[in-house]
Each structure stands twice: as structure tokens, then as C-alpha cells.
Amino acid sequence: MSDTGPASVVAGLGAWLPPTVLTNADLAGRLDTTDEWIRSRTGIRQRRVIAPGEATSDLAVEAGLRALKSAEANEVDVVVLATSTPDRPCPATAPEVADRMGLTEVAAFDVSAVCTGFVYALGTAAGLIASGCARSALVIGADTFSTILAPEDRTTRAIFGDGAGAVYLRAGLATEQGALRGLHMGSDGSRSELIEVRAGGSRQRSTGRPAESADTYFAMAGRPVFAQAVRHMAASVRTTAQRAGWDMDTVDRVVLHQANARILAAVADQIDLPADRFPSNIDRVGNTVAASIPLALTDASSNGQLTAGQRVVLGGFGGGLTWGSVALVWPDLTAIGPEPLPDA
Ligand code: COA
């Protein structure tokens, strides 16, 4: 983090989920899968999905408004939206989200880093605050992967869900609770094909040929992604704790991108921390991509697992490949979620 400019302080947290619940039993009724397989391999019991005609911006607006309310803030200099499922390929979705929130003429743009999107967006917003370009920022993670999954793909349909989460950042002091104290981001583009939507971009469109149907959907190589996720999240969390000046065993909570319950357990094992320091809501929401970390934070804050004064590291991993993490001392705030997430 910058040693010279203002620090970025988390001052508000909000989240939103679409009301429609898709259980493992619902999936088992349509695909060659079982509740037992999905629970044991991923820890997921249910996920939320948008209704026909809804879009990512609808979720982002709801989460953003809740984060502003949580911060009791009405000034926003920049809206940074992390998403890989924008409403349209062009333009970015953030300006529309800002406008619908009543934030007229603010800077607004999207960040694309798949499941690491929220961490990348936090880092970008913190840089704008450190440079003096912005005094406050709304950082939203929102995705609707239900719109890009192949209907017959039992692996991806079992994992992903829709949702949105947001934090409000304001300029402040590095010594305050809520100030971002360490940040680490990385990528490995040589493995981009492990997580991709192959068609729909300039590479395919410039051929002049229509896309193969299968290439228009999200595809993932589960096994290698699993291994890469564990390796990079564990290393990044360690690096960020070090940058914050914290010994790993003094970190109270590690809030990871909710990719798979077994990935969380493997990271806990690698960094040698007890599993109860890793709050998780994956059983109720699945992998919500860029929304995953702020949704998990909202859940943990609402159920008392996350309290003011705790040392917290957030960690993400996703397509690109990309990864990153952020350290902060948890601030005294009231998160505003959709409702307490019910047990499946
Ligand atoms: N129901 C039943 N069987 C399924 C299934 C489902 N929903 N999904 C996959 N399978 C099958 C596979 O087809 C395969 O069958 P086969 O042996 O006949 O070929 C078998 O289960 C084992 O598949 P495999 O991919 O080796 O299983 P796995 O234990 O690695 O679990 C994932 C698969 C996807 C759950 C796991 O690899 C994973 O979580 N990877 C990371 C995914 C992720 O986090 N992505 C986002 C990153 S940000």
C-alpha cells in the first residue's frame, strides 16, 4: 500500500442475492448428478439464480445501495464494478449502475478478473484514493454466471450461483480500523485456457465464422484449477500478511473466494491455520465469482464470525489466471445483506 497518499478505509458493506433458490435436488432432477456428489465434492447445497430478463446490473445496484446505507454515505467519487458477466459486451456496466443509484457524472468502470475481480477492484480503487484522484469509492462485485453456463454441463452448473456484494471505501489514515494494510495481486496468462468462454470476443469474431455453440459457454478444467487455486491463494495470503507486518498465526480470519469447500480446507492446511478461521457461506450460495468475497464478508459479519478489531486477510483466485489478497483490521460496521442466508 502507498506510504504517502491517504489510506483506503472500508466504511460500509452490503450484499444482495436474487430470491430464486436452485437446490442440488433441483439440479439432480435435470442433470446426471446427485445431491450427495455435489455436497461431498464442493460443499454446496444450493445457489441463487436470477429470473428471466434480469441482469448483473440489477444485482449490483441492490448491493451498492446497501453498502452506501451501511456506510451512511452519500458521496461517491468512483464506482468500480468487478464482473465477468456484464449486461452487454459494450459498454461497461458500471456507468449504468452508478446512474441507477443516483450517482450522476461519477467516474465508473468495470474490472474483469473473474473470481479475483473483487480483489483487483479493491486494489484499483485504493490506488485512485492513494493518488488523490478520489476521496471515496464504491467497489462492487456482481456476477450472473447462470447466464453463461451450458445447460447440460453438470460440473459448472453444480458450482456457480448469482449474486452481488459491495464495500464503500473512504480516504483515511493507515492506522484506522478498516484501512487496507497490505495488498498483493498476480496473474499467469499462460494458463488462460483453464477457465474461459472461448467465443464472442475479437479472436472468434474476426474469423467471420459463427461461433460453435459449445464455445459460447463458460468452460473450466476442474482438476488443474483446483490445484492452482490452492497454491496461489495460499501464497498470496501469506505475502499479504507479511506486507501488513503480521505473523500468519496472528491472523484472526481469512475470507477466501468461495470456490469449493475443499479448496478452503486445503488452503487452511497449507498456511497452517485452523479451519474455523475461514468463514464460509458456500453451502448456501455456491461460487458467486466476483460477488463471492463481499457476500462471504456480509454473511460472516452478520452472524458474528467477523468482529471489529480482528486481523483479516481476503484472498481471491480466478480466471486469467489471476489471484490476489488484501489485509485489514476489521472495522466497526453493520453489514446490510439481503437477509440472513438460510440453511439449505
Ligand atoms: N455430478 C456427478 N458427477 C460429476 C459432476 C456432477 N455435478 N461433475 C463432474 N462429475 C464427474 C466427472 O464427469 C468425472 O467423471 P469421470 O470420472 O467419469 O470422467 C468425475 O465426476 C470426477 O471428475 P473430476 O473433475 O475429477 O472431479 P473432482 O473431484 O476434481 O471435482 C470439481 C470436480 C469441479 C468440483 C473440482 O475439480 C473443483 O472444484 N475444481 C475447482 C473449480 C473452481 O473452483 N473453479 C472456479 C475457480 S475460481
Side-chain angles (χ1 to χ4, degrees):
M1 306 304 302
S2 164
D3 291 331
T4 48
S8 290
V9 179
V10 172
L13 172 64
W16 179 247
L17 290 165
T20 305
V21 175
L22 185 65
T23 65
N24 292 350
D26 295 331
L27 285 178
R30 299 171 204 174
L31 299 165
D32 182 16
T33 189
T34 61
D35 174 50
E36 201 285 326
W37 192 98
I38 299 172
R39 281 191 202 213
S40 62
R41 299 295 180 107
T42 70
I44 299 166
R45 296 159 183 258
Q46 64 181 39
R47 69 287 297 140
R48 302 291 188 95
V49 290
I50 56 170
E54 284 187 320
T56 297
S57 63
D58 301 327
L59 308 186
V61 167
E62 294 292 342
L65 289 172
R66 282 165 176 75
L68 285 190
K69 194 170 171 202
S70 161
E72 297 177 8
N74 46 25
E75 260 182 54
V76 176
D77 288 341
V78 57
V79 174
V80 187
L81 172 65
T83 188
S84 307
T85 45
D87 287 14
R88 294 166 278 173
C90 175
T93 302
E96 183 181 329
V97 169
D99 181 66
R100 284 169 54 192
M101 291 180 62
L103 304 170
T104 48
E105 300 196 5
V106 301
F109 58 94
D110 292 0
V111 165
S112 175
V114 203
C115 298
T116 319
F118 186 73
V119 173
Y120 268 54
L122 267 185
T124 305
L128 289 170
I129 288 174
S131 72
C133 278
R135 298 282 303 163
S136 60
L138 187 61
V139 178
I140 309 175
D143 269 302
T144 52
F145 260 45
S146 66
T147 61
I148 62 168
L149 304 179
E152 70 286 357
D153 185 348
R154 62 182 178 174
T155 303
T156 56
R157 300 241 2 239
I159 293 174
F160 291 94
D162 301 338
V167 300
Y168 179 80
L169 292 181
R170 62 164 173 81
L173 302 174
T175 49
E176 285 184 77
Q177 283 188 349
L180 307 189
R181 297 185 182 207
L183 170 71
H184 172 253
M185 298 189 284
S187 76
D188 178 3
S190 73
R191 290 190 162 95
S192 60
E193 78 291 345
L194 294 182
I195 298 174
E196 66 175 347
V197 179
R198 191 180 288 262
S202 56
R203 180 77 64 203
Q204 174 261 316
R205 295 174 79 102
S206 70
T207 65
R209 291 190 298 275
E212 298 287 335
S213 170
D215 289 347
T216 62
Y217 292 112
F218 177 82
M220 177 184 73
R223 283 263 167 120
V225 166
F226 192 107
Q228 293 283 322
V230 173
R231 179 176 151 222
H232 288 298
M233 277 201 287
S236 186
V237 164
R238 274 190 192 282
T239 301
T240 288
Q242 204 173 29
R243 287 182 182 177
W246 300 342
D247 288 336
M248 203 61 239
D249 62 359
T250 69
V251 173
D252 298 299
R253 295 287 178 265
V254 181
V255 182
L256 295 181
H257 164 53
Q258 305 285 298
N260 179 323
R262 290 188 298 136
I263 291 178
L264 304 191
V267 173
D269 198 44
Q270 283 222 349
I271 59 180
D272 207 14
L273 283 183
D276 63 5
R277 293 196 201 174
F278 291 70
S280 178
N281 62 346
I282 192 170
D283 57 328
R284 287 152 288 153
V285 298
N287 178 343
T288 55
V289 192
S292 171
I293 292 173
L295 269 168
L297 288 173
T298 302
D299 190 51
S301 167
S302 305
N303 69 24
Q305 281 182 285
L306 204 52
T307 54
Q310 287 176 331
R311 289 181 168 182
V312 179
V313 180
L314 318 180
F317 171 86
L321 300 176
T322 52
W323 54 87
S325 51
V326 174
L328 72 162
V329 173
W330 194 248
D332 186 11
L333 59 70
T334 303
I336 304 180
E339 76 237 27
L341 298 176
D343 284 334

